[in-house]
């Protein structure tokens, strides 16, 4: 008999989590204005709010913390990080930052100006924010397949080369660079194929443009290339990473994802001119060039994390767990963005709560229901997150309305996945009785989902 699959690690330290009663959760929901960002974490049983900065570090990473060099300039820990980044990506110039959006802020301060257009595949919200706040436009060139949640294609995160070329034909002089997000977070943690990266590179070269990878989940992307794309089965993850990054000029990185640290990020590039330009913004915004907002010990732990998470076994354990949850949801017929993404399951709330009108935010309603059911905290990636149109101030109902269940790395077991699946099934079984959603009683002008206050209707 073939041995079953099991995790590629064992557990050395545990942290208790606590269940609650439905009455307690009702009260906590009221206190939080039905916005799960406003809940206390200790009132959450299984926390799937995000996979960002919530991973469990390994014993090697904790050991590295103890040997961190906290020198202001030229710390050994910086060089450990820089050498690791160079070895994995091929980029010689590395600037640490305190997280991914800080990397965007520093690099885009040097590269993006008013009136620019930055084409890419479903820019992440902070990426979009850092483009739009500079009065430039983030132009989405994702393949149309990403919009159909039930369509099963291996690389749903791809850039549509026709849309990209169209943008370059029309406005090449306004385009400072192309940005490709690997994996495509907003489209559901969907990967981008090597073939697609190659095509983007070829188009960029034809127009003399540079390419940046928004690389928060580059290792998970490499895993999907290895397991789904022809010709890569026998390559190591590190070989695939080098080949991916050979198609880019620079990267911004949120190390809180595939770096498996709780805080951190960096910029890396092969171009001295971009490095020189970014340097001038790193020092005032983040700090001196060899720490850029990070502790020495955090850079040391990140160096180890990057190394570990570009090994096949670690990634296989991770993706296997996400796929395991997907299989459980399949058993119950619960619709989600197919196939399962790298870091999360995105439940298609408009299909689950089809009786809740879109004006009453089905995905937010489902997020609240799942918490009410079992103390599980997911996150709305839908109409509330989409904010209002900056010109008309109308809600934007054009995109998908999803409940994201983000799985922290190396934190929960498959037993927790079973609890999540059954809790969602219980909500799914009573979906016909859920006909009313929530209304907004207070909202911020931008990124309203973090602080929005809601009231249940009906
Ligand atoms: C998380 C993330 C960012 C921003 O990184 P932070 O570390 O949260 O600031 C940027 N791009 C993508 C694709 C991300 O997932």
């Amino acid at each position: 008999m073939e041995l079953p699959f099991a995790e590629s690690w064992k557990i050395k330290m545990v942290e208790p989590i606590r269940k609650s009663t439905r009455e307690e959760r009702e009260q906590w929901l009221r206190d939080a204005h039905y916005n799960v960002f406003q809940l206390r974490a200790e009132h959450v049983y299984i926390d799937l709010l995000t996979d960002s900065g919530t991973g469990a570090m390994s014993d090697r990473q904790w050991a590295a913390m103890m040997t961190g060099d906290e020198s202001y300039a030229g710390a050994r820990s910086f060089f450990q990080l820089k050498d690791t980044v160079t070895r994995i990506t091929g980029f010689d110039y590395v600037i640490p930052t305190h997280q991914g959006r800080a990397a965007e802020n520093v690099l885009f301060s040097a590269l993006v100006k008013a009136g620019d257009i930055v084409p890419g595949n479903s820019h992440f919200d902070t990426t979009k924010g850092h483009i739009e706040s500079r009065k430039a436009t983030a132009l989405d060139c994702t393949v149309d397949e990403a919009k159909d949640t039930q369509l099963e294609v291996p690389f749903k995160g791809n850039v549509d080369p026709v849309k990209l070329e169209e943008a370059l034909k029309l406005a090449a002089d306004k385009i400072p660079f192309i940005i490709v997000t690997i994996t495509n977070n907003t489209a559901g943690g969907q990967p981008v194929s090597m073939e697609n990266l190659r095509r983007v590179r070829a188009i960029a070269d034809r127009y003399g443009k540079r390419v940046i990878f928004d690389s928060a989940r580059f290792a998970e992307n490499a895993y999907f290339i290895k397991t789904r794309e022809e010709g890569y089965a026998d390559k190591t993850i590190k070989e695939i990473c080098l080949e991916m990054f050979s198609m880019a000029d620079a990267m911004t990185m949120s190390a809180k994802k595939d770096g498996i640290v709780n805080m951190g990020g960096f910029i890396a590039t092969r171009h001295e001119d971009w490095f020189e330009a970014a340097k001038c913004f790193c020092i005032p915004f983040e700090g001196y060039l060899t720490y850029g907002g990070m502790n020495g010990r955090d850079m040391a732990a990140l160096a180890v994390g990057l190394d570990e998470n570009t090994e096949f076994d670690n990634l296989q354990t991770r993706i296997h767990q996400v796929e395991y949850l997907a299989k459980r949801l399949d058993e119950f017929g619960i619709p989600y963005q197919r196939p399962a993404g790298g870091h999360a399951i995105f439940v298609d709330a408009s299909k689950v709560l089809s009786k809740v009108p879109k004006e009453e935010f089905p995905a937010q309603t489902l997020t609240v229901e799942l918490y009410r059911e079992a103390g599980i905290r997911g996150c709305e990636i839908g109409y509330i997150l989409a904010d209002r149109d900056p010109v008309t101030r109308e809600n934007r109902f054009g995109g998908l309305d999803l409940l994201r269940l983000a799985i922290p790395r190396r934190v929960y077991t498959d037993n927790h996945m079973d609890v999540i699946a059954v809790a969602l099934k219980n909500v799914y079984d009573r979906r016909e009785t859920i006909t009313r959603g929530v209304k907004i009683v207070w909202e911020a002008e931008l990124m309203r989902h973090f602080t929005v206050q809601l009231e249940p209707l009906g």
Side-chain angles (χ1 to χ4, degrees), residues 324-335:
Y324 175 81
L325 176 58
K327 267 191 223 126
R328 295 300 325 265
L329 298 189
D330 284 340
E331 277 173 45
F332 303 135
I334 299 168

Side-chain angles (χ1 to χ4, degrees), residues 52 99-102 104 124 126-127 181 183 185 214 216-217 254-257 264:
S52 179
Q99 63 184 96
R101 67 199 67 188
E104 292 164 354
F124 183 68
T126 62
T127 318
T181 307
T183 59
N185 182 355
D214 180 355
R217 298 178 186 81
S254 168
K256 304 170 70 171
K257 286 58 170 263

Side-chain angles (χ1 to χ4, degrees), residues 9-13 53-66 255-257 259-263 294 297-306 308 314 408-411:
W9 34 255
K10 57 181 179 174
I11 297 164
K12 186 158 6 211
M13 191 186 278
T54 54
M57 293 206 297
S58 68
D59 54 352
R60 288 177 56 221
Q61 285 180 284
W62 280 108
M65 295 281 287
M66 301 305 289
K256 304 170 70 171
K257 286 58 170 263
I260 324 192
V261 289
N262 303 115
M263 193 56 69
M294 289 186 78
R297 54 183 173 274
D298 290 341
M299 291 189 284
L302 173 55
V304 177
L306 287 169
E308 282 181 356
N314 202 64
R409 293 165 183 78
R410 309 191 287 210
V411 170

Side-chain angles (χ1 to χ4, degrees), residues 224-254:
F224 285 121
I225 288 174
K226 181 176 170 74
T227 54
R228 292 183 185 172
E229 191 163 351
E230 210 185 309
Y232 290 93
D234 296 329
K235 294 213 154 91
T236 65
I237 297 292
K238 285 193 167 66
E239 286 167 341
I240 293 170
C241 288
L242 265 182
E243 187 173 338
M244 285 189 320
F245 286 112
S246 75
M247 249 73 82
D249 295 283
M251 68 190 287
T252 51
M253 177 76 188
S254 168

Side-chain angles (χ1 to χ4, degrees), residues 401-421:
D401 196 37
L402 307 168
L403 159 61
R404 183 180 75 177
L405 306 172
I407 316 290
R409 293 165 183 78
R410 309 191 287 210
V411 170
Y412 293 113
T413 69
D414 288 356
N415 288 328
H416 294 108
M417 299 302 120
D418 288 334
V419 173
I420 298 159

